[in-house]
Amino acid sequence: MSVDDRPTLSAPDDDPWLWLEEVEGVRALEFVERQNRLTLDKFGGAAFERDRDLLAAIFDRPDNIPYVSRSGGLLYNTWKDAEHPRGLWRRTTLAEFRKAEPSWETVLDVDELAAREGEDWLLNWTTSRSGYSRVMLSLSRGGSDAVVLREFDAEAKRFVSDGFVLPEAKGSVDWLGPDTLVLSSAYGEGMVTTSGYARTVRLWRRGQPVEQAEVIFETSADRMRVYCGVDDSGAAPRAWIIDQLDFFNFAIWLRDAAGTLTRLDLPSGVWMQAHRDWFAIKLREPWTVAGRTHAADSVLGISLSAFLAGDRDFAVLFEPGPRRALQGFSWAAGKLLLSILDELQPVFEICTPTPTGWSRETLRGLPAIGVVDVWPFDHYQSESNGDLLANVQDPLTPSSLMLLARGVESPVVLKQAPKIFNADGLKVTQHEAISVDGERIPYVQTGPAGVSGDAPVYMSAYGGFGLAVKPQYNSSLGKLWLERGGTTVQANLRGGGEFGTRWHDAGRYAGKRLSHDDFAAVAADLVRRGVTTPKRIAAQGGSNGGILITNMLVRYPERFGALFCTIPLIDMRRYTKLLAGASWIAEYGDPDKPDEWEWLKTYSAYHNAKPGQPYPPILIATTRRDDRVHPGHARKMAAKLQAMGYEAWFYEPAAGGHGYGKDNKERAGFQVLGFQFLKEKIGWQEGEA
């Protein structure tokens, strides 16, 4: 039963702006071009151009860290700069990489390819297999999630003339053998879910039309998607097929070398990582098995062959605490790396399985504060010797890329990112605000020591999908906000993953409104502590954060001086009908169910905007090639606010995907436009600080 079929494209009676959902519609594009001209005329002057070029030069610096992954003994990297705005796919050796100025071998020049073929190509991702020279490249037009797949010979550095090619679609692919792919793609009739993703896994053999590829697994169209990955860590190749019921629930199938499919007898809300004859799972909900009840967020390990034979005697590898939560885990050379946040501080543990049990040790030599990320160096598990990479930073300290040889030796710095801004006199402090229901909401403040009572503050947060936000070194904010005397604040809202599933669930479904209350509470706490005044607080949020920012507009307008809303989700009545929207029902709810619309409508800012309110100025920005969050959300909200007489600005570049631009200059321009708008609207004059 639908709560209300309206509005629809054929009957837009209660939504006069529905025509703006036509991404390439003539009338819609006229609106976009007119709005872009107005916004750029107002905020795109000399100061904008100066800061855009300054920031683009920072993004293009030759001494920025080139992050790498090792494959076949070589280190691969995708690099963008002013001369190669679309990017180079390149490689080098570890010995060369250790040098201050490594020599790189170009495998593919994406700019040259785009020019030669007259396409707006970007390299999205690559898929290869240990020991193969052939690679499947995914080429995106303008940064969209949908990609064209083409077979490439990485040794010969050219496309395979009669190789695998698949037209544009969302999906993924992996190699099962030198002449066989497992394809999970929305391309083809009947191959797409209502979320816009693949609903089948196909066995695609060389020389075979994709329409004739054998379907080896199919899910129902109402599920989110299905995808498949080939596991090379065991004695024989095997594939894991993941039937994703919704954003947080999965049915896991094992396809062995003989092609036999076995569903693993596991709860649906698990993360799973397999390696050799072992696998580990992280639970989303409590699970009682073999007479024991394991808490939500626990990590359990067991022998895969024993599990398939009926054994359920799991080893407990991690137990959560109220503010101690797992952030991720991965295998390297027979060892399981656990990434943990304990009171927002990084902890890394290594669990090693043996026939007699699991050993445990803490990864040493890394900072116990700041932001630390650790991951396997090698792309293929079969090639790993246990080497790990670590990235260490904080809001005032640029990244250091470190090598932990075999995962046990002391970290060695491979690359140090340059210092982009002057941090003299700046300080990082941690605080907590009290939300409407008494929950403590952490936030990190960076800026001049002491309080001025009138600081220009840039606030940001996310608060969704169980994702933790971390106080990283931000070149853009550092150079254009902190160095010029401003203060930045990053909040850890419910809905995120900082404290595990209970923190996420508290900000999910109807709780999303509480997540927004959390952000407003942080803004109020800044005023209470004497840091600033409401009119000097600028706030930014993107994607899921677009719901956040537009709810600050309509629910807490008195707490902010200006708002910057990017690539946003806003219209919670129609979101499931737009692009990938149906895949997020597990985060927000289904507006076609009356009881769920009751909570969704409380934070659908598109429907809650009213005339005659004290709304602060807002800039809403999206990209036309965003095929994840429909640009119609941003367009319609801007149009509605303008019709009500509010100061609402809009900006939409033609490319960028679900991001801020396809190259460094576009990305810099998008951000600087937001900075210029926010600074002007909170009354922060150039040179004031």
Side-chain angles (χ1 to χ4, degrees), residues 31-325:
F31 169 87
V32 169
E33 293 308 313
R34 182 171 65 254
Q35 296 288 330
N36 283 352
R37 284 196 305 272
L38 290 170
T39 300
L40 290 171
D41 285 348
K42 175 65 174 174
F43 305 105
F48 162 81
E49 294 177 358
R50 178 201 66 205
D51 284 352
R52 179 202 60 199
D53 294 345
L54 174 64
L55 192 55
I58 290 171
F59 294 161
D60 287 334
R61 285 182 61 136
D63 55 350
N64 288 330
I65 295 178
Y67 290 95
V68 292
S69 178
R70 187 166 59 189
S71 172
L74 295 174
L75 280 57
Y76 285 81
N77 162 261
T78 301
W79 178 262
K80 293 182 179 182
D81 58 26
E83 293 183 11
H84 311 95
R86 296 176 184 275
L88 295 173
W89 186 38
R90 58 186 192 169
R91 60 192 173 203
T92 191
T93 64
L94 178 56
E96 192 68 28
F97 186 74
R98 292 178 185 270
K99 298 178 181 178
E101 297 183 7
S103 175
W104 293 89
E105 176 190 5
T106 297
V107 182
L108 177 67
D109 184 329
V110 185
D111 292 271
E112 186 276 331
L113 175 68
R116 172 161 44 91
E117 298 189 347
E119 290 277 9
D120 191 18
W121 289 137
L122 296 174
L123 180 61
N124 206 327
W125 41 263
T126 66
T127 301
S128 56
R129 183 58 44 197
S130 180
Y132 296 1
S133 67
R134 301 288 180 88
V135 180
M136 290 302 296
L137 299 185
S138 71
L139 296 170
S140 163
R141 291 186 173 96
S144 63
D145 287 347
V147 294
V148 173
L149 298 178
R150 292 166 64 179
E151 187 177 3
F152 186 81
D153 190 320
E155 294 305 314
K157 303 179 191 176
R158 62 172 179 263
F159 288 100
V160 178
S161 59
D162 58 346
F164 291 103
V165 176
L166 190 73
E168 187 176 57
K170 291 183 180 181
S172 61
V173 69
D174 207 348
W175 293 90
L176 190 62
D179 297 309
T180 308
L181 299 173
V182 283
L183 176 69
S184 311
S185 174
Y187 178 77
E189 186 177 352
M191 297 295 173
V192 63
T193 66
T194 54
S195 296
Y197 296 105
R199 66 177 297 231
T200 66
V201 177
R202 288 174 273 183
L203 212 58
W204 190 13
R205 295 179 173 85
R206 186 174 299 281
Q208 181 183 51
V210 69
E211 292 78 10
Q212 296 177 14
E214 177 189 359
V215 174
I216 60 173
F217 190 91
E218 182 173 358
T219 194
S220 57
D222 61 345
R223 293 190 170 180
M224 180 177 165
R225 63 172 176 166
V226 64
Y227 58 96
C228 181
V230 177
D231 179 356
D232 63 358
S233 68
R238 61 193 181 197
W240 294 99
I241 296 176
I242 311 300
D243 183 7
Q244 190 165 359
L245 286 64
D246 59 36
F247 214 93
F248 310 111
N249 289 280
F250 314 85
I252 302 171
W253 295 76
L254 172 63
R255 185 182 189 274
D256 64 20
T260 303
L261 279 172
T262 303
R263 179 172 178 174
L264 270 62
D265 179 23
L266 294 169
S268 62
V270 299
W271 299 350
M272 189 275 290
Q273 291 284 343
H275 180 72
R276 299 176 184 167
D277 189 39
W278 300 95
F279 78 97
I281 59 171
K282 180 247 182 191
L283 303 174
R284 181 172 176 81
E285 297 177 346
W287 185 36
T288 300
V289 62
R292 299 173 64 188
T293 298
H294 303 285
D297 291 346
S298 297
V299 177
L300 312 178
I302 197 170
S303 157
L304 177 59
S305 58
F307 177 84
L308 294 174
D311 186 3
R312 296 297 182 268
D313 186 19
F314 286 91
V316 178
L317 308 180
F318 172 80
E319 293 183 284
R323 292 167 80 89
R324 175 182 169 88

